[in-house]
Amino acid sequence: MRNNLQMAQGIISVLAILCLVIGWFGMFSPEVNEIISRKLFYLLIGLSFILQAPLLSNAKFTYPMYAAAALCIIGAFLPVESNFSFIKTVGLLGGVIISFTNRSVNRQ
């Protein structure tokens, strides 16, 4: 099961990076690019964090990773003009920090 979760998490992460590339290079209309790079990207990252949370070696990071995922997913549904749209970025940064912190714990 662990390998399946890791594989699914890896595939979703690659899809999220593809969303960023599409947004950067403007491969579609501005509206579609915005949906892909500002909405779908954060949904995929949130899903990736959800799949990664049970795989973390330090159990103290599991619920913060779920919280980071929730912020990404909730933020993806907020309008870009919203005063709260920054929460998706907070979720992304939090999840990345947790992910890197977990990796440094694994090396010791």
Side-chain angles (χ1 to χ4, degrees):
M1 181 173 141
R2 183 175 179 87
N3 287 337
N4 290 341
L5 280 177
Q6 286 176 329
M7 186 171 67
Q9 195 257 337
I11 291 169
I12 290 170
S13 296
V14 169
L15 290 174
I17 291 170
L18 238 64
C19 289
L20 281 182
V21 170
I22 289 170
W24 284 335
F25 290 108
M27 297 178 170
F28 301 106
S29 69
E31 296 83 15
V32 172
N33 284 332
E34 183 171 322
I35 290 170
I36 291 172
S37 65
R38 293 188 179 176
K39 303 285 184 186
L40 184 58
F41 168 74
Y42 284 101
L43 287 172
L44 290 172
I45 288 295
L47 182 57
S48 175
F49 288 165
I50 288 171
L51 294 175
Q52 186 179 1
L55 302 174
L56 296 173
S57 61
N58 189 339
K60 291 191 298 186
F61 293 135
T62 301
Y63 288 113
M65 184 62 92
Y66 283 130
L71 290 175
C72 288
I73 292 169
I74 292 167
F77 287 104
L78 295 175
V80 176
E81 311 84 35
S82 169
N83 290 336
F84 297 107
S85 67
F86 69 92
I87 67 168
K88 61 187 174 194
T89 305
V90 171
L92 174 65
L93 291 174
V96 168
I97 290 169
I98 292 167
S99 187
F100 281 126
T101 303
N102 185 62
R103 290 173 194 234
S104 64
V105 169
N106 283 338
R107 290 184 186 162
Q108 295 177 349

